Amino acid sequence: MSIDKTSTPAADSAAANPEAAPAAVAAVDPRLLVREQGFAGYLGEFKRKMKAGDLGSLPVVVGLLVIWAIFTSLNSNFLTAGNFTDMSVAMVGTGMIAVGIVFVLLLGEIDLSVGSVSGVAGATFAVLSVTHGMNEILAMVLAILTGTVAGAIHGFFFAKIGVPAFAVTLAGLLFWQGFMLQVLGSNGTINLDSEGVVAKLTSYYFSDVAAAYGLAVVVTAGYFLAAYFDNRRREAAGVPSRPLNEIIVRTVLLAVLAFAVAIVFNQYKGLPLAVVIFLAFLLLTDFVLRRTAYGRKVYALGGSVEASRRAGINVDLVRISVFAIAGTFAAIGGLFVASKIASANQGAGTGEFLMNVIAAAVIGGTSLFGGRGRTWDALLGVMVIISIQYGLALEGIASPVQYMITGGVLLATVVIDAVTRKTQKTAGRA
């Protein structure tokens, strides 16, 4: 019987000092080594996540592909360039507000006022710019600030006074809806200038084909450079990093997707300005949540309020700021909604609009229980909702059926979220 005498410095150190060996092993989370193991490591990690119920965005992506396949088989016009572009522009208003909802859900809270706040923003802009002749840029800034102030007020009552977020924002829903009706006056509808700044948010397209292809190049190159230099930093810090060939494969897949979308846009009117703005906000908010101390505080607060307080986090300030962010994005989304219909009216932000916004964030993968989610979830979720709406509309199916199907999808998503948390608790990861 032969004995393997091969040794490493780490092994020699462990043998010389047996008491230090357990600490050395515990210092490195085996899951972090996945990056160094390449695709074999990711396959093993995928199997581990499946067993633990950590499915991530996979169910949403698969569900979206199934929805597209079903509606395309029913109507060949569903994924045509024109319909795809229209869906992309239509999702921006709802998607913007859903981004703000993601921040609130990360705390494990809810904001029921965002629909009404979005209506107030549209009404404020219309009154200032159309009725009173104010400069559109200034009117737009003031309209967005109304959302920020409204959200901060909700956050103050929640964080400082201790009123439950559900009650505060429910009161906000009613108050701001009444405020919107008061601002619009007896007429109830104010038409926007079709050549104005806000109107062009959803009506302007970059007709030059170079715009869409250029954006695809920028997105692809930006991803590669960010991933490459992130790896360099990890290597310099002595922590596991992705192999270069994996980064290249990921970049190629992203390039295929980006250029495919660019080709579709260029077959119609070109690259929509609304989509460019939406992607810019998604990148910005994703950076804030994942790469800044503030983002880590938001996640920490969603995980445990008491632990966050003991760690020195200003809980009240973070809570107020999160609701202010939700109000800001509600106002921005309200301007896009007003741009889409070219007016501000009494129906803005009412009806099923609020439910669609919350559903978009939840369907996209943000947990209702707090601590888990990304702003990109808003994109995935709103794509599912808009796809269902447009697909059913092409088939001439009435609104009641649309509501029932969207509700069913939302319920299925929440069930998956609840089962995932239960599975993770069983696996000792929650």
Side-chain angles (χ1 to χ4, degrees):
M1 178 178 179
S2 62
I3 299 177
D4 185 3
K5 296 183 179 181
T6 304
S7 63
T8 64
D12 293 340
S13 176
N17 187 6
E19 295 180 358
V25 173
V28 179
D29 187 341
R31 289 175 293 179
L32 295 178
L33 299 177
V34 169
R35 292 186 169 190
E36 289 185 341
Q37 295 170 358
F39 292 107
Y42 275 97
L43 180 60
E45 176 72 355
F46 176 75
K47 293 179 180 179
R48 184 192 64 77
K49 286 185 175 181
M50 291 293 289
K51 291 180 181 179
D54 188 3
L55 303 178
S57 299
L58 180 62
V60 188
V61 174
V62 172
L64 183 62
L65 294 176
V66 170
I67 290 170
W68 284 359
I70 291 174
F71 285 125
T72 301
S73 65
L74 294 175
N75 193 317
S76 59
N77 292 324
F78 179 71
L79 281 183
T80 58
N83 197 58
F84 181 83
T85 302
D86 288 343
M87 287 194 298
S88 299
V89 174
M91 74 181 185
V92 174
T94 304
M96 281 288 190
I97 306 175
V99 169
I101 286 292
V102 168
F103 277 80
V104 177
L105 291 178
L106 286 175
L107 297 183
E109 303 297 339
I110 193 68
D111 190 341
L112 301 177
S113 69
V114 288
S116 296
V117 172
S118 70
V120 168
T124 301
F125 171 80
V127 169
L128 292 177
S129 64
V130 178
T131 305
H132 297 289
M134 181 181 290
N135 176 271
E136 282 203 9
I137 299 296
L138 179 58
M140 187 164 56
V141 171
L142 292 176
I144 293 174
L145 288 178
T146 60
T148 306
V149 172
I153 292 173
H154 301 153
F156 173 81
F157 281 101
F158 168 58
K160 293 294 187 179
I161 309 301
V163 183
F166 178 89
V168 171
T169 57
L170 179 59
L173 180 154
L174 298 173
F175 178 85
W176 297 117
Q177 186 171 348
F179 184 78
M180 176 188 67
L181 297 178
Q182 184 68 31
V183 169
L184 289 174
S186 58
N187 186 31
T189 300
I190 300 176
N191 295 323
L192 303 182
D193 179 9
S194 59
E195 297 300 320
V197 176
V198 169
K200 288 187 176 180
L201 288 176
T202 56
S203 64
Y204 185 82
Y205 294 79
F206 297 97
S207 57
D208 192 334
V209 296
Y213 293 134
L215 180 62
V217 170
V218 169
V219 169
T220 304
Y223 172 80
F224 176 81
L225 292 175
Y228 177 77
F229 286 110
D230 180 58
N231 265 20
R232 292 287 298 272
R233 287 192 296 269
R234 285 179 168 274
E235 291 172 358
V239 297
S241 58
R242 290 192 178 105
L244 180 60
N245 60 350
E246 181 194 338
I247 295 177
I248 293 174
V249 171
R250 285 171 174 260
T251 303
V252 170
L253 292 176
L254 177 61
V256 171
L257 176 62
F259 278 93
V261 173
I263 290 172
V264 174
F265 283 151
N266 282 334
Q267 288 178 349
Y268 188 53
K269 295 180 180 179
L271 177 65
L273 173 62
V275 173
V276 176
I277 297 174
F278 188 32
L279 289 177
F281 273 108
L282 287 173
L283 288 170
L284 175 62
T285 51
D286 180 67
F287 176 83
V288 169
L289 283 178
R290 295 196 305 115
R291 300 291 184 179
T292 66
Y294 175 78
R296 289 189 288 273
K297 291 176 183 178
V298 173
Y299 280 111
L301 215 57
S304 173
V305 175
E306 187 56 33
S308 300
R309 185 177 284 109
R310 292 182 179 181
I313 295 175
N314 190 330
V315 173
D316 291 347
L317 180 61
V318 173
R319 282 174 163 174
I320 293 173
S321 65
V322 164
F323 277 89
I325 289 172
T328 302
F329 275 95
I332 296 172
L335 293 178
F336 276 91
V337 172
S339 173
K340 184 65 178 175
I341 62 177
S343 67
N345 60 48
Q346 296 177 343
T350 60
E352 78 280 3
F353 185 74
L354 172 63
M355 293 300 102
N356 283 342
V357 168
I358 297 175
V362 176
I363 290 173
T366 302
S367 175
L368 282 169
F369 303 98
R372 191 177 77 247
R374 303 173 304 166
T375 52
W376 291 100
D377 295 340
L379 173 62
L380 289 173
V382 77
M383 287 175 68
V384 170
I385 290 176
I386 296 298
S387 295
I388 292 174
Q389 291 178 346
Y390 270 67
L392 294 177
L394 283 176
E395 294 302 305
I397 298 176
S399 295
V401 179
Q402 295 183 28
Y403 297 157
M404 289 187 287
I405 293 178
T406 304
V409 173
L410 176 59
L411 177 62
T413 304
V414 176
V415 168
I416 291 174
D417 185 26
V419 172
T420 296
R421 286 181 59 84
K422 183 181 293 186
T423 306
Q424 289 178 343
K425 285 182 179 179
T426 304
R429 296 188 57 209

